Protein backbone atom coordinates (compact mmCIF):
# COMPACT_ATOMS: atom_id res chain seq x y z
CA UNK A 1 0.00 0.00 0.00
CA UNK A 2 3.04 2.30 0.43
CA UNK A 3 1.49 3.38 3.72
CA UNK A 4 4.50 4.58 5.72
CA UNK A 5 2.66 3.89 8.99
CA UNK A 6 2.78 0.16 8.27
CA UNK A 7 6.53 0.29 7.71
CA UNK A 8 6.92 2.17 10.98
CA UNK A 9 5.02 -0.59 12.77
CA UNK A 10 7.15 -3.22 11.05
CA UNK A 11 10.39 -1.49 12.09
CA UNK A 12 9.20 -1.25 15.69
CA UNK A 13 8.18 -4.93 15.73
CA UNK A 14 11.53 -5.92 14.19
CA UNK A 15 13.45 -3.92 16.79
CA UNK A 16 11.46 -5.55 19.59
CA UNK A 17 12.04 -8.96 18.02
CA UNK A 18 15.80 -8.35 17.90
CA UNK A 19 15.87 -7.24 21.53
CA UNK A 20 13.91 -10.28 22.69
CA UNK A 21 15.91 -12.87 20.72
CA UNK A 22 19.51 -12.19 21.63
CA UNK A 23 20.20 -15.90 22.20
CA UNK A 24 19.07 -17.22 18.83
CA UNK A 25 17.41 -15.03 16.22
CA UNK A 26 18.68 -11.47 16.48
CA UNK A 27 20.42 -10.08 13.41
CA UNK A 28 23.76 -10.32 15.22
CA UNK A 29 23.18 -14.00 16.00
CA UNK A 30 22.06 -14.76 12.43
CA UNK A 31 25.29 -13.21 11.11
CA UNK A 32 27.45 -15.63 13.11
CA UNK A 33 29.02 -18.82 11.78
CA UNK A 34 28.79 -22.14 13.56
CA UNK A 35 26.21 -24.33 15.30
CA UNK A 36 22.99 -22.99 16.78
CA UNK A 37 20.07 -24.70 18.45
CA UNK A 38 16.43 -23.71 18.58
CA UNK A 39 12.96 -24.89 17.61
CA UNK A 40 13.37 -25.93 13.98
CA UNK A 41 10.09 -24.51 12.71
CA UNK A 42 10.90 -21.16 14.31
CA UNK A 43 14.35 -21.17 12.68
CA UNK A 44 12.74 -21.64 9.27
CA UNK A 45 9.98 -19.10 9.89
CA UNK A 46 12.26 -16.27 11.04
CA UNK A 47 14.90 -16.95 8.39
CA UNK A 48 13.07 -14.69 5.94
CA UNK A 49 12.30 -11.75 8.24
CA UNK A 50 15.58 -9.78 7.99
CA UNK A 51 15.58 -10.24 4.20
CA UNK A 52 12.04 -8.89 4.03
CA UNK A 53 13.08 -5.89 6.13
CA UNK A 54 15.97 -5.32 3.72
CA UNK A 55 13.48 -4.93 0.86
CA UNK A 56 11.95 -1.88 2.52
CA UNK A 57 14.94 -0.46 4.38
CA UNK A 58 17.84 -1.12 2.02
CA UNK A 59 19.96 -2.23 4.98
CA UNK A 60 22.21 -4.93 3.52
CA UNK A 61 23.14 -6.19 6.99
CA UNK A 62 19.61 -7.55 7.25
CA UNK A 63 19.91 -9.38 3.94
CA UNK A 64 23.30 -10.80 4.91
CA UNK A 65 21.81 -12.08 8.18
CA UNK A 66 19.18 -14.11 6.34
CA UNK A 67 21.65 -15.39 3.77
CA UNK A 68 24.16 -16.43 6.42
CA UNK A 69 21.59 -18.21 8.59
CA UNK A 70 20.34 -20.05 5.49
CA UNK A 71 23.91 -21.01 4.57
CA UNK A 72 24.71 -22.32 8.05
CA UNK A 73 21.40 -24.19 8.25
CA UNK A 74 22.24 -25.97 5.01
CA UNK A 75 25.89 -26.57 5.91
CA UNK A 76 25.29 -28.01 9.37
CA UNK A 77 21.80 -29.48 9.52
CA UNK A 78 20.58 -30.48 6.04
CA UNK A 79 19.10 -33.95 5.45
CA UNK A 80 19.37 -35.70 2.05
CA UNK A 81 15.72 -35.05 1.11
CA UNK A 82 16.24 -31.28 1.09
CA UNK A 83 14.94 -30.13 4.49
CA UNK A 84 16.93 -29.55 7.66
CA UNK A 85 16.99 -31.64 10.82
CA UNK A 86 14.22 -30.61 13.19
CA UNK A 87 13.09 -33.13 15.77
CA UNK A 88 11.32 -30.20 17.32
CA UNK A 89 14.82 -28.67 17.62
CA UNK A 90 17.64 -28.03 15.19
CA UNK A 91 20.34 -29.99 16.98
CA UNK A 92 22.86 -32.36 15.41
CA UNK A 93 22.81 -34.18 12.10
CA UNK A 94 23.04 -37.93 11.53
CA UNK A 95 21.62 -40.65 9.32
CA UNK A 96 18.71 -41.47 11.65
CA UNK A 97 17.43 -37.92 12.22
CA UNK A 98 14.22 -36.36 10.96
CA UNK A 99 12.30 -33.15 10.38
CA UNK A 100 8.73 -32.09 11.04
CA UNK A 101 6.29 -31.66 8.16
CA UNK A 102 5.92 -28.04 9.30
CA UNK A 103 9.56 -27.54 8.35
CA UNK A 104 8.88 -28.58 4.75
CA UNK A 105 6.33 -25.78 4.45
CA UNK A 106 8.28 -23.13 6.34
CA UNK A 107 11.67 -23.90 4.78
CA UNK A 108 10.25 -23.60 1.25
CA UNK A 109 8.34 -20.45 2.26
CA UNK A 110 11.51 -18.71 3.44
CA UNK A 111 13.71 -20.01 0.62
CA UNK A 112 11.15 -18.66 -1.85
CA UNK A 113 11.54 -15.19 -0.35
CA UNK A 114 15.33 -15.40 -0.63
CA UNK A 115 15.10 -16.55 -4.25
CA UNK A 116 12.96 -13.56 -5.19
CA UNK A 117 14.86 -11.02 -3.09
CA UNK A 118 18.38 -12.12 -4.08
CA UNK A 119 17.65 -13.22 -7.64
CA UNK A 120 19.91 -16.24 -7.20
CA UNK A 121 19.01 -19.61 -8.69
CA UNK A 122 20.58 -21.61 -5.86
CA UNK A 123 17.57 -20.82 -3.70
CA UNK A 124 15.27 -22.17 -6.40
CA UNK A 125 17.36 -25.35 -6.41
CA UNK A 126 16.75 -25.76 -2.68
CA UNK A 127 13.04 -25.04 -2.96
CA UNK A 128 12.67 -27.52 -5.81
CA UNK A 129 14.55 -30.28 -3.99
CA UNK A 130 12.42 -29.94 -0.86
CA UNK A 131 9.13 -29.92 -2.78
CA UNK A 132 9.98 -32.88 -5.02
CA UNK A 133 11.65 -35.00 -2.34
CA UNK A 134 10.72 -34.16 1.24
CA UNK A 135 7.08 -33.31 0.52
CA UNK A 136 6.05 -36.53 -1.31
CA UNK A 137 7.76 -38.57 1.41
CA UNK A 138 5.70 -36.93 4.16
CA UNK A 139 2.21 -37.42 2.69
CA UNK A 140 0.14 -40.19 1.17
CA UNK A 141 -1.06 -39.94 -2.42
CA UNK A 142 -4.09 -37.71 -1.81
CA UNK A 143 -2.74 -35.69 1.16
CA UNK A 144 -5.37 -37.23 3.45
CA UNK A 145 -2.70 -38.49 5.85
CA UNK A 146 0.75 -37.19 6.72
CA UNK A 147 3.70 -37.88 8.97
CA UNK A 148 4.55 -35.54 11.83
CA UNK A 149 8.23 -36.51 11.48
CA UNK A 150 9.84 -37.63 8.24
CA UNK A 151 13.20 -39.38 8.00
CA UNK A 152 15.09 -40.27 4.81
CA UNK A 153 16.11 -43.60 6.39
CA UNK A 154 12.79 -44.68 7.88
CA UNK A 155 11.86 -48.21 6.82
CA UNK A 156 8.62 -48.83 8.73
CA UNK A 157 5.78 -46.32 9.12
CA UNK A 158 3.50 -47.70 11.84
CA UNK A 159 1.88 -46.30 14.97
CA UNK A 160 4.78 -47.46 17.12
CA UNK A 161 7.64 -47.14 14.63
CA UNK A 162 9.07 -43.72 15.50
CA UNK A 163 12.75 -44.47 15.99
CA UNK A 164 13.88 -41.10 17.40
CA UNK A 165 15.14 -41.48 20.95
CA UNK A 166 12.94 -38.85 22.59
CA UNK A 167 9.85 -39.89 20.61
CA UNK A 168 10.40 -43.64 20.45
CA UNK A 169 7.25 -45.79 20.09
CA UNK A 170 5.00 -42.82 19.35
CA UNK A 171 2.79 -42.28 16.30
CA UNK A 172 4.77 -39.34 14.95
CA UNK A 173 6.18 -41.20 11.93
CA UNK A 174 2.95 -43.01 11.04
CA UNK A 175 0.77 -41.70 8.21
CA UNK A 176 -2.34 -40.36 9.95
CA UNK A 177 -5.16 -37.92 9.29
CA UNK A 178 -4.34 -36.15 12.56
CA UNK A 179 -1.41 -35.67 14.91
CA UNK A 180 -0.96 -33.84 18.17
CA UNK A 181 -0.35 -30.99 17.97
CA UNK A 182 -2.19 -30.27 14.71
CA UNK A 183 0.41 -27.84 13.34
CA UNK A 184 1.79 -30.12 10.61
CA UNK A 185 -1.70 -31.07 9.42
CA UNK A 186 -2.59 -27.42 8.89
CA UNK A 187 0.78 -26.40 7.48
CA UNK A 188 1.55 -29.11 4.92
CA UNK A 189 -1.00 -27.73 2.43
CA UNK A 190 1.10 -24.57 1.98
CA UNK A 191 4.08 -26.40 0.52
CA UNK A 192 3.04 -27.05 -3.08
CA UNK A 193 1.53 -23.53 -3.37
CA UNK A 194 4.94 -22.21 -2.22
CA UNK A 195 6.36 -23.78 -5.39
CA UNK A 196 3.58 -22.74 -7.76
CA UNK A 197 3.38 -19.15 -6.53
CA UNK A 198 7.10 -18.59 -7.22
CA UNK A 199 7.42 -20.15 -10.67
CA UNK A 200 7.63 -16.73 -12.39
CA UNK A 201 8.96 -13.32 -11.31
CA UNK A 202 8.68 -9.99 -13.07
CA UNK A 203 11.51 -7.47 -12.89
CA UNK A 204 12.18 -4.11 -14.55
CA UNK A 205 13.34 -5.47 -17.90
CA UNK A 206 11.55 -8.80 -18.13
CA UNK A 207 10.44 -12.11 -16.67
CA UNK A 208 12.31 -14.85 -14.80
CA UNK A 209 11.21 -18.48 -15.02
CA UNK A 210 12.55 -19.75 -11.70
CA UNK A 211 10.65 -23.02 -11.22
CA UNK A 212 9.42 -25.40 -13.88
CA UNK A 213 6.13 -27.20 -14.47
CA UNK A 214 3.26 -27.10 -16.96
CA UNK A 215 1.69 -23.69 -16.44
CA UNK A 216 0.74 -20.34 -17.99
CA UNK A 217 2.07 -16.89 -17.11
CA UNK A 218 0.01 -14.01 -18.51
CA UNK A 219 0.26 -10.38 -17.42
CA UNK A 220 -1.73 -9.01 -20.35
CA UNK A 221 1.38 -8.05 -22.32
CA UNK A 222 3.55 -11.16 -22.04
CA UNK A 223 2.22 -14.70 -22.16
CA UNK A 224 4.40 -17.74 -21.47
CA UNK A 225 2.92 -21.23 -21.83
CA UNK A 226 5.14 -23.88 -20.31
CA UNK A 227 4.86 -27.59 -21.17
CA UNK A 228 7.02 -30.72 -21.07
CA UNK A 229 5.69 -32.57 -18.01
CA UNK A 230 8.49 -31.42 -15.71
CA UNK A 231 9.90 -32.97 -13.53
CA UNK A 232 9.15 -36.20 -15.39
CA UNK A 233 10.25 -35.01 -18.85
CA UNK A 234 13.73 -34.14 -20.11
CA UNK A 235 12.65 -31.08 -22.11
CA UNK A 236 10.89 -27.86 -21.15
CA UNK A 237 9.00 -26.03 -23.87
CA UNK A 238 8.15 -22.33 -23.57
CA UNK A 239 5.72 -20.82 -26.08
CA UNK A 240 5.97 -17.04 -25.83
CA UNK A 241 3.88 -14.20 -27.18
CA UNK A 242 4.48 -10.56 -26.31
CA UNK A 243 3.77 -7.02 -27.53
CA UNK A 244 7.29 -5.83 -26.69
CA UNK A 245 10.86 -7.01 -26.36
CA UNK A 246 11.86 -8.22 -22.91
CA UNK A 247 14.61 -10.13 -21.12
CA UNK A 248 13.81 -13.75 -20.30
CA UNK A 249 15.75 -15.37 -17.48
CA UNK A 250 15.72 -19.16 -17.12
CA UNK A 251 16.94 -20.89 -13.98
CA UNK A 252 19.49 -23.58 -14.77
CA UNK A 253 19.32 -26.14 -11.93
CA UNK A 254 22.60 -26.89 -10.18
CA UNK A 255 22.08 -30.60 -10.81
CA UNK A 256 22.01 -30.06 -14.58
CA UNK A 257 25.56 -30.99 -15.62
CA UNK A 258 24.62 -30.42 -19.26
CA UNK A 259 21.90 -28.20 -20.72
CA UNK A 260 21.05 -26.40 -23.92
CA UNK A 261 18.71 -23.53 -24.72
CA UNK A 262 17.11 -23.33 -28.16
CA UNK A 263 15.21 -20.30 -29.45
CA UNK A 264 13.19 -20.75 -32.66
CA UNK A 265 15.43 -23.68 -33.59
CA UNK A 266 18.68 -21.84 -32.90
CA UNK A 267 20.95 -23.00 -30.07
CA UNK A 268 21.97 -20.11 -27.82
CA UNK A 269 25.41 -20.11 -26.22
CA UNK A 270 24.82 -18.67 -22.78
CA UNK A 271 26.73 -18.92 -19.50
CA UNK A 272 24.56 -18.88 -16.36
CA UNK A 273 24.89 -15.89 -14.05
CA UNK A 274 23.66 -16.40 -10.48
CA UNK A 275 22.06 -19.64 -11.62
CA UNK A 276 20.08 -18.07 -14.54
Amino acid sequence: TDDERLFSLAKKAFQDFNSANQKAHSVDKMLQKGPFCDHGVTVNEVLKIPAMMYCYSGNETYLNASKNRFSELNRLYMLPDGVNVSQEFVDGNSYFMAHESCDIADYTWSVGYLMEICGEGKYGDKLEKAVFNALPGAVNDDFSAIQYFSSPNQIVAARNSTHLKKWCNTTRMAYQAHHFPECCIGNIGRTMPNYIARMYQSFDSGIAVSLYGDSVYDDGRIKITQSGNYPFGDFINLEISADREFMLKLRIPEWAKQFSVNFNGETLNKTPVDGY
Side-chain angles (χ1 to χ4, degrees):
T1 63
D2 290 328
D3 187 336
E4 186 64 29
R5 294 173 300 172
L6 296 177
F7 185 45
S8 296
L9 286 171
K11 286 191 290 186
K12 177 63 166 58
F14 188 57
Q15 290 166 0
D16 291 346
F17 176 83
N18 268 302
S19 298
N21 286 275
Q22 294 300 312
K23 291 185 178 180
H25 301 301
S26 68
V27 168
D28 288 342
K29 284 293 184 182
M30 292 177 74
L31 284 166
Q32 294 177 9
K33 302 289 185 182
F36 55 90
C37 178
D38 201 359
H39 180 221
V41 177
T42 303
V43 169
N44 281 318
E45 286 179 335
V46 304
L47 172 64
K48 63 183 177 291
I49 295 175
M52 294 169 66
M53 291 301 296
Y54 157 78
C55 289
Y56 295 93
S57 69
N59 187 334
E60 291 196 6
T61 300
Y62 297 162
L63 179 60
N64 291 335
S66 285
K67 293 175 71 173
N68 184 69
R69 177 53 58 91
F70 173 86
S71 176
E72 293 300 278
L73 185 69
N74 279 268
R75 183 176 71 89
L76 297 169
Y77 303 116
M78 186 54 57
L79 289 171
D81 63 356
V83 174
N84 55 279
V85 167
S86 176
Q87 297 160 185
E88 296 296 344
F89 283 84
V90 174
D91 186 16
N93 193 354
S94 188
Y95 67 93
F96 62 85
M97 289 187 167
H99 49 66
E100 298 161 70
S101 291
C102 278
D103 288 283
I104 306 173
D106 291 330
Y107 178 82
T108 54
W109 187 252
S110 286
V111 171
Y113 270 105
L114 285 173
M115 182 184 73
E116 295 188 325
I117 291 167
C118 300
E120 297 178 31
K122 66 181 181 181
Y123 297 111
D125 295 331
K126 296 296 186 182
L127 199 163
E128 177 185 73
K129 184 174 183 179
V131 168
F132 289 155
N133 290 273
L135 175 61
V139 300
N140 66 351
D141 288 349
D142 62 0
F143 277 70
S144 63
I146 76 165
Q147 293 180 297
Y148 193 100
F149 286 137
S150 299
S151 175
N153 284 309
Q154 183 186 12
I155 298 173
V156 179
R159 288 181 62 82
N160 63 348
S161 66
T162 301
H163 62 258
L164 309 175
K165 185 176 180 181
K166 182 178 178 180
W167 307 98
C168 190
N169 291 321
T170 67
T171 63
R172 289 203 163 193
M173 296 175 90
Y175 290 87
Q176 297 189 158
H178 67 89
H179 288 274
F180 181 81
E182 300 285 353
C183 53
C184 292
I185 297 292
N187 213 358
I188 197 69
R190 299 166 65 201
T191 311
M192 189 57 74
N194 286 344
Y195 185 94
I196 295 168
R198 290 186 165 89
M199 294 177 72
Y200 303 88
Q201 289 79 42
S202 61
F203 55 98
D204 289 343
S205 54
I207 303 295
V209 183
S210 294
L211 299 168
Y212 297 107
D214 292 2
S215 56
V216 177
Y217 171 89
D218 189 349
D219 67 5
R221 299 190 66 188
I222 298 171
K223 183 176 182 180
I224 303 172
T225 302
Q226 185 179 162
S227 60
N229 198 33
Y230 188 84
F232 304 106
D234 295 325
F235 298 89
I236 296 164
N237 303 298
L238 302 174
E239 183 178 336
I240 302 168
S241 61
D243 64 1
R244 61 182 174 90
E245 289 188 352
F246 68 96
M247 180 184 291
L248 180 66
K249 289 186 176 184
L250 306 174
R251 184 183 127 259
I252 305 300
E254 63 179 350
W255 53 258
K257 303 305 180 186
Q258 293 182 318
F259 70 92
S260 64
V261 179
N262 299 286
F263 180 67
N264 289 343
E266 177 185 353
T267 299
L268 306 180
N269 294 316
K270 298 289 185 181
T271 300
V273 176
D274 290 332
Y276 288 84

